[in-house]
Amino acid sequence: MDKEVIILPKKPVEKHRLRVAAYCRVSMEDEGMLHSLNAQVTHYVNLINSNPDWQFVEVYNEKPFTGTKDTRPEFQRMIADCRAGKIDMVITKAVSRFARNTRTTLKYTRELKNLGIAVYFEEQNINTLKADGEFVLTLMAAYAQAESESVSENVKWRIKHEYERGHDVSFRFMFGYDVERGKVTINEAQAKVVREMFEMYATGESANAIAKYLTAKKVPTLRGGEWNAKHVVDMLRNERYMGDALLQKSYVNNHLEKKLVLNKGELAKYYATECMPPIVNRELFERVQKQIDQRRSDMGIGERTQPTYPFTGKIRCAVCGKNYRRRATRYGDKWQCITYSQKGKKYCASKAIPESVLMETSAKVLGLGSFDEKAFTSKVSYIEAHNDNRLVFHLMNGQEVECHWEDRSRSQSWTPEMRAMAREKKLKGAVK
């Protein structure tokens, strides 16, 4: 008797679906930004879900930020998810929406390519995993950067033209005023506080006393911080409260960093009179200015200048994003994150870096026998300081160089003078 053969049905082989995410960002110059952003999000949700070979992951939608900055939170979250193995492909509208400088575009697309993750740019039909993907992308990224530079120059020209006409196009927010659709009006509740500040100072009160008075009365500052003497003096010095405006006190250094710096004569300044509604009269304002100058003179205070060093403005904290500043200690000069210095470890747990370490590491990165300030300034854009003793040098030519530094013991940090003082103190103690 033949045996009965039972043939079981084969299980269908489950096809791997590509895990796809999308990145959306609208230009800060776009009209109807939020509407445009919502339209992009809807488009990508439908596009990904309609493809049976794709598995929808997420749409990372950036609220209006600038593409030349690496601080975009949604973009950084997407990159983190890629590194965690959650995504196989990223779709975005165009190269200019991904980033507007060639270095940033290539940095992230190359990293994702090494992880086996494709980035697809819809408008240019570029897939970074294809053979010619990076070549075409390099050309398009360079074009996007040139376009960004052109837009930046046009904006600068327009602002300069408005300044020359006496229009304060840079005015945004200021205690005592409201701004709506470009129209500046007096906020009467805040204006009352401003007038009181001017009257108090004119009748002999100090800036510190005024700050304490406002704090005791629980008067809120514009951004919710605490009142202090510097804040009070800055307000008392502001010519806008009498209706005038000194224009272009600061400017944006370049279209990539977009860092606001003080104008110390690099660009022309323009003084516009009666360009906004005054809160205090001109006589009271000028009387207060004379009193400020007289009190500074009586105290022997001249014009203060902020000292600068080779690393000033060049070291960025990877923990909170703020700059580092120089701090003198008995064990030598160190550089510490501003947030840590001002608020403590609770707000930023970054590490201080000895200046000697920064000099030695910089010389090593630049291939020099010793630190050269001129070479450092001309070749290093900035240094990113990480908490694991890692320094990432971002060079002017677009390269990134990573270095590690070793913590030094307290005894290694002592200078010859400190050792001599310690020996002298020990001998004196022995004599007693």
Side-chain angles (χ1 to χ4, degrees):
M1 181 177 177
D2 292 336
K3 290 184 179 180
E4 186 177 337
V5 179
I6 300 174
I7 301 174
L8 297 174
K10 290 183 179 180
K11 289 184 179 180
V13 178
E14 194 170 312
K15 187 177 179 182
H16 173 69
R17 296 168 68 200
L18 211 61
R19 296 168 299 173
V20 181
Y23 175 69
C24 299
R25 184 185 69 82
V26 292
S27 170
M28 294 184 75
E29 294 84 20
D30 282 351
E31 293 289 338
M33 292 181 294
L34 293 179
H35 175 74
S36 175
L37 186 62
N38 291 335
Q40 284 188 45
V41 171
T42 303
H43 165 71
Y44 285 120
V45 169
N46 294 335
L47 177 69
I48 297 171
N49 283 325
S50 65
N51 192 323
D53 296 329
W54 290 355
Q55 178 184 336
F56 177 78
V57 178
E58 186 174 350
V59 175
Y60 299 83
N61 55 322
E62 203 80 70
K63 295 298 184 288
F65 264 78
T66 170
T68 56
K69 291 187 177 181
D70 283 351
T71 53
R72 296 168 288 163
E74 284 297 287
F75 182 84
Q76 295 300 333
R77 190 167 69 85
M78 179 187 72
I79 295 297
D81 286 347
C82 287
R83 290 167 181 159
K86 299 178 181 178
I87 299 170
D88 297 317
M89 184 168 76
V90 173
I91 301 177
T92 191
K93 181 180 178 183
V95 175
S96 61
R97 295 284 74 96
F98 193 74
R100 278 193 180 171
N101 74 76
T102 309
R103 180 176 63 82
T104 303
T105 301
L106 295 181
K107 170 187 172 182
Y108 287 109
T109 54
R110 283 171 179 169
E111 180 186 347
L112 297 182
K113 184 177 180 180
N114 290 335
L115 294 170
I117 300 170
V119 180
Y120 179 68
F121 300 93
E122 274 195 303
E123 276 190 10
Q124 293 83 16
N125 191 25
I126 299 172
N127 186 325
T128 56
L129 289 189
K130 289 187 176 180
D132 61 346
E134 181 163 332
F135 173 72
V136 178
L137 178 61
T138 303
L139 294 178
M140 296 307 301
Y143 174 78
Q145 180 170 334
E147 185 181 34
S148 176
E149 291 172 359
S150 175
V151 170
S152 177
E153 289 304 313
N154 289 338
V155 170
K156 286 180 181 178
W157 181 88
R158 179 178 60 80
I159 291 174
K160 179 177 180 294
H161 184 62
E162 292 296 319
Y163 280 160
E164 288 172 345
R165 295 170 60 192
H167 296 168
D168 189 3
V169 294
S170 63
F171 188 84
R172 292 294 179 271
F173 304 102
M174 182 173 164
F175 191 90
Y177 292 97
D178 292 325
V179 184
E180 188 174 351
R181 296 182 181 179
K183 185 179 180 181
V184 180
T185 57
I186 293 176
N187 180 314
E188 287 301 336
Q190 294 179 356
K192 183 179 178 182
V193 175
V194 173
R195 295 186 190 103
E196 191 173 17
M197 291 168 68
F198 273 87
E199 292 289 352
M200 288 177 70
Y201 197 90
T203 53
E205 292 288 354
S206 68
N208 192 44
I210 295 172
K212 289 181 178 179
Y213 168 74
L214 295 175
T215 300
K217 285 188 68 176
K218 297 183 179 180
V219 176
T221 64
L222 188 64
R223 291 180 174 81
E226 295 181 359
W227 291 96
N228 57 56
K230 183 182 182 305
H231 190 181
V232 171
V233 172
D234 286 345
M235 288 180 64
L236 295 175
R237 284 288 203 191
N238 198 327
E239 72 285 342
R240 282 185 170 92
Y241 285 121
M242 66 171 176
D244 296 352
L246 178 60
L247 309 177
Q248 204 157 251
K249 293 178 183 177
S250 58
Y251 64 96
V252 176
N253 61 342
N254 58 60
H255 82 289
L256 295 178
E257 290 183 302
K258 295 192 181 293
K259 184 179 179 181
L260 196 66
V261 296
L262 289 177
N263 183 3
K264 297 179 180 178
E266 294 88 351
L267 300 175
K269 294 180 182 179
Y270 306 89
Y271 195 92
T273 58
E274 300 179 2
C275 60
M276 58 190 298
I279 289 179
V280 299
N281 63 55
R282 196 169 296 272
E283 186 275 329
L284 175 59
F285 182 87
E286 291 176 352
R287 182 151 48 99
V288 167
Q289 304 317 300
K290 289 178 181 178
Q291 286 211 29
I292 293 173
D293 292 336
Q294 185 60 53
R295 293 186 197 185
R296 289 176 64 86
S297 177
D298 292 344
M299 295 172 66
I301 303 174
E303 287 296 320
R304 293 183 296 176
T305 56
Q306 187 71 25
T308 58
Y309 306 94
F311 299 107
T312 300
K314 290 277 192 177
I315 308 174
R316 298 181 190 175
C317 178
V319 179
C320 71
K322 296 291 185 180
N323 281 346
Y324 272 50
R325 70 178 177 189
R326 198 172 191 253
R327 182 166 62 88
T329 73
R330 60 180 296 191
Y331 301 109
D333 297 324
K334 295 185 177 183
W335 287 77
Q336 179 70 67
C337 171
I338 290 176
T339 304
Y340 181 95
S341 298
Q342 294 179 343
K343 297 184 177 181
K345 191 174 182 179
K346 179 181 176 182
Y347 294 89
C348 179
S350 58
K351 294 179 69 172
I353 308 170
E355 188 171 88
S356 58
V357 167
L358 288 167
M359 288 183 169
E360 290 169 12
T361 310
S362 299
K364 181 181 176 182
V365 168
L366 298 177
L368 304 173
S370 60
F371 181 75
D372 185 306
E373 180 179 345
K374 188 175 180 181
F376 175 81
T377 304
S378 62
K379 294 182 179 180
V380 178
S381 175
Y382 67 94
I383 302 172
E384 194 174 61
H386 293 259
N387 228 9
D388 54 357
N389 288 24
R390 186 160 46 96
L391 299 175
V392 180
F393 284 72
H394 294 258
L395 305 183
M396 295 292 188
N397 62 9
Q399 285 185 306
E400 293 179 15
V401 182
E402 186 174 300
C403 293
H404 287 77
W405 59 279
E406 297 294 330
D407 289 302
R408 296 181 177 181
S409 65
R410 183 169 293 184
S411 62
Q412 287 177 310
S413 304
W414 280 28
T415 63
E417 292 80 9
M418 291 166 64
R419 293 180 187 279
M421 288 175 62
R423 281 195 298 270
E424 187 178 342
K425 187 176 180 181
K426 189 174 180 181
L427 289 171
K428 285 181 179 179
V431 171
K432 289 181 180 178

